[in-house]
Amino acid sequence: MYPPPHTHAPAPMPAPKPPRRWWQHPALIITALVVFPPAGIALAWTSQWERTQKILATVLSGVWFLIPLLSDAPKETGAEGKAQPAVASAAPAPSSSPPPSPTPTPTPSAEPQMPSVVGWPYAQAEKTVEELIDGELKALSAYADVSLPADHGTWLVCFQDVTAGSRLVAQSAAPVVHLVAPGTACPATPGTDLRPKPAAPAPAPTTAAPTTTAPEPDDDGTGGSGGGNVSYKNCTAVKAAGAAPIHRGDPGYGRHLDRDGDGVACES
């Protein structure tokens, strides 16, 4: 009899994998490896990954965790980063003479200067000057016949009594500016009338009243012909009386009026 044919035993079935727990989920393990590598490495080795995968995950996560620790520490800034001065090894020997007193350094003058405020509104000029000297700015009208209203902040500066660039002293008298209303031209000088006064009418010429004097004698020593008691002091009085020219023998004729002695006086 032939021996029975050799039969191979069936291969054993692989053991089934245990069920995966929630902490073994790949997404959770990868997140932990990135966010907190120590916890991620522990979860990776409890997972169902292959050994090669566990080693690779451990190496990468460890490098990721060590990079910030191996980087250079930030340099100190501010007062902490400054090097402390080295302490002298030996103190200097005390001097017998007292140290010289330090010479005071002169401080530059900080006195404010008057700005040029011509053309500025008064409110702006007043604020600027008050900030400089902590004082007031006095305002007057540039025209003598124009009164300054109570609210003159928009009036414009035409003149200032303190020259621009001059020193301002708070204890001195307040600077004065002369103002005009907006749209009004500045005068040539402060104190001018905006509306000139009409010129006074010329006085009317006065007519000299004839004076009664004794008639002056003519060339022959007698009084003027027909002179009577009419006499003129000069030719101006004759012309004012409407008697020029006056001839010898007319009332009021006198030798003192006839300079050339031709018998006709006050002919021109």
Side-chain angles (χ1 to χ4, degrees), residues 90-186:
S95 176
S96 58
S97 61
S101 58
T103 304
T105 304
T107 58
S109 176
E111 293 183 357
Q113 296 182 350
M114 180 67 182
S116 177
V117 297
V118 175
W120 292 15
Y122 174 74
Q124 180 183 357
E126 181 184 31
K127 180 179 179 182
T128 301
V129 174
E130 288 180 352
E131 291 177 351
L132 289 175
I133 62 173
D134 193 20
E136 63 176 352
L137 180 65
K138 186 177 181 180
L140 298 175
S141 177
Y143 288 102
D145 57 345
V146 177
S147 300
L148 199 65
D151 184 12
H152 50 269
T154 58
W155 283 43
L156 303 179
V157 178
C158 281
F159 307 97
Q160 60 185 72
D161 66 337
V162 178
T163 308
S166 302
R167 294 185 302 173
L168 289 174
V169 183
Q171 291 78 12
S172 63
V176 179
V177 291
H178 301 265
L179 313 177
V180 294
T184 305
C186 293

Side-chain angles (χ1 to χ4, degrees), residues 47-256:
S47 67
Q48 299 179 1
W49 290 357
E50 298 293 337
R51 183 178 180 82
T52 305
Q53 295 176 342
K54 295 177 180 179
I55 295 173
L56 181 61
T58 301
V59 173
L60 294 177
S61 182
V63 173
W64 172 259
F65 180 72
L66 294 176
I67 285 176
L69 299 179
L70 297 177
S71 60
D72 294 337
K75 296 181 179 180
E76 295 182 356
T77 58
E80 297 179 356
K82 294 181 179 179
Q84 297 293 334
V87 179
S89 58
S95 176
S96 58
S97 61
S101 58
T103 304
T105 304
T107 58
S109 176
E111 293 183 357
Q113 296 182 350
M114 180 67 182
S116 177
V117 297
V118 175
W120 292 15
Y122 174 74
Q124 180 183 357
E126 181 184 31
K127 180 179 179 182
T128 301
V129 174
E130 288 180 352
E131 291 177 351
L132 289 175
I133 62 173
D134 193 20
E136 63 176 352
L137 180 65
K138 186 177 181 180
L140 298 175
S141 177
Y143 288 102
D145 57 345
V146 177
S147 300
L148 199 65
D151 184 12
H152 50 269
T154 58
W155 283 43
L156 303 179
V157 178
C158 281
F159 307 97
Q160 60 185 72
D161 66 337
V162 178
T163 308
S166 302
R167 294 185 302 173
L168 289 174
V169 183
Q171 291 78 12
S172 63
V176 179
V177 291
H178 301 265
L179 313 177
V180 294
T184 305
C186 293
T189 56
T192 307
D193 290 336
L194 177 62
R195 294 171 291 273
K197 298 178 181 179
T206 57
T207 302
T211 59
T212 303
T213 58
E216 295 183 359
D218 289 336
D219 295 340
D220 53 0
T222 61
S225 301
N229 58 355
V230 178
S231 175
Y232 299 102
K233 183 177 181 180
N234 48 37
C235 286
T236 302
V238 175
K239 294 176 181 179
I246 186 171
H247 300 269
R248 183 181 290 122
D250 291 342
Y253 175 84
R255 184 67 182 83
H256 66 287

